[in-house]
Amino acid sequence: MIRFKPGASRWVPPRFLSRAFTLSVPVAWGATAVAYRMTCPLARDDALGARLVSSAVLCTVVTGLVMHVRGGLLREVRRARAVAEAAQDALLRPPPPRVDGLAVAAVHLPADREARIGGDLYEVIATEHGVRALIGDVRGHGAGALRTVAAVLGSFREAAHDEAELAGVLRRLERAMARHLRERVAAESDPAVAEEFVTVLLLEILPDGEVRALNCGHPWPYRLTGARAEPLARADPLPPLGPFPLPAELPALPCGRLLPGDALVLHTDGAEEARDREGRFFPLQDVLTEVARTRRPTPPGAVLRSVLTALLRHSVDPPKDDVALLVLSDERTIRRPAPDHHERARLRAR
């Protein structure tokens, strides 16, 4: 039966015809070799010239078979890569350009240039509790890291709306990560999987610009304010999510206010660990300071372009580790006061 793709006029052959087309080339080459051997007089001639002709014919047949197999393998690799990229794009979807008064831009450079699958993750969500942002870094690359990214992002996208406090969001991420590792250990029968971990940074930006953070082993972001770039905080982070239990109390760290025109640059450690020929690390803070000095306000897209240009110029080769950058710039000019305890309770009761 002839089948057509929905909404398209191009004919799609049935599966058995596709397999027949795939086998037709090697069968044809084999039939050519057999026919030459059985019917051509040169194939039975012991003269040197006849042997050279026979060798050339056999080499041509073998080359054709090898090229056909190679072409099939390359097509399979391209299809697998396309599926992996589609899965990556579905998980690490681009953030919207604006989220509740904040301009947003993000970029992800995976270290695995062939598979294009990385272990970095980020997300920005507007909730009734404020704008909540996540950035993280899974240890490792490949399909295993992608599954961990899916578990963490899926949990965050639900918990960011459900949990009134930032600590509740982090607890949900911790439980999701523990459940994910248990399932992987059971499925892969590899005890080493239980040692996998992910660093995460959670930010909460309230309507009045107040910033709160919970950091589990991740680099602190930079705040671009005035003409300088400075770390958002210098407190010791909590342990990464995975085999390390979090403490019983998880108070969110106050990090001041994000003023109109200021920007926050969240990044993974691959951005600061890129090296040049002399082994020097990429000076991310210096680059951001130059951006803050020359631009006011600081559009997220311009920040990303400046950092990526400097990073690629600094690195002789592509970065050895995944690089993710997430920039949040405050474009609000009129502040409304942050809801007090009673107002937040009333909003949650809606």
Side-chain angles (χ1 to χ4, degrees), residues 245-269:
L246 294 178
E249 298 295 330
L250 295 173
L253 180 68
C255 299
R257 294 183 184 275
L258 188 66
L259 301 177
D262 289 353
L264 291 175
V265 181
L266 288 69
H267 62 93
T268 55
D269 56 8

Side-chain angles (χ1 to χ4, degrees), residues 123-125 132-134 151-161 166 169 173 202-203:
E123 183 63 283
V124 184
I125 299 176
R132 287 175 168 173
L134 165 74
V152 174
L153 279 179
S155 177
F156 174 75
R157 286 165 179 161
E158 290 292 331
H161 292 282
L166 204 59
V169 178
L173 297 185
L202 287 174
L203 286 186

Side-chain angles (χ1 to χ4, degrees), residues 35-163:
Y36 172 80
R37 185 66 181 174
M38 298 294 294
T39 62
C40 184
L42 290 175
R44 296 185 294 273
D45 194 339
D46 292 334
L48 179 60
R51 289 182 178 181
L52 290 176
V53 172
S54 298
S55 299
V57 171
L58 292 177
C59 287
T60 303
V61 171
V62 172
T63 301
L65 289 173
V66 170
M67 294 300 295
H68 177 74
V69 172
R70 179 178 179 273
L73 292 176
L74 287 177
R75 286 191 294 272
E76 290 297 327
V77 169
R78 293 191 190 101
R79 280 195 288 267
R81 186 180 299 172
V83 171
E85 290 180 5
Q88 177 86 355
D89 293 340
L91 286 175
L92 205 62
R93 58 197 182 200
R98 281 170 179 77
V99 178
D100 197 18
L102 299 178
V104 182
V107 68
H108 176 235
L109 300 177
D112 191 343
R113 289 295 186 267
E114 295 300 322
R116 302 189 66 82
I117 299 177
D120 290 352
L121 56 102
Y122 52 75
E123 183 63 283
V124 184
I125 299 176
T127 74
E128 63 182 28
H129 316 294
V131 175
R132 287 175 168 173
L134 165 74
I135 190 166
D137 187 357
V138 178
R139 191 184 76 166
H141 311 284
L146 190 62
R147 288 193 291 269
T148 304
V149 169
V152 174
L153 279 179
S155 177
F156 174 75
R157 286 165 179 161
E158 290 292 331
H161 292 282
D162 297 342
E163 300 293 335

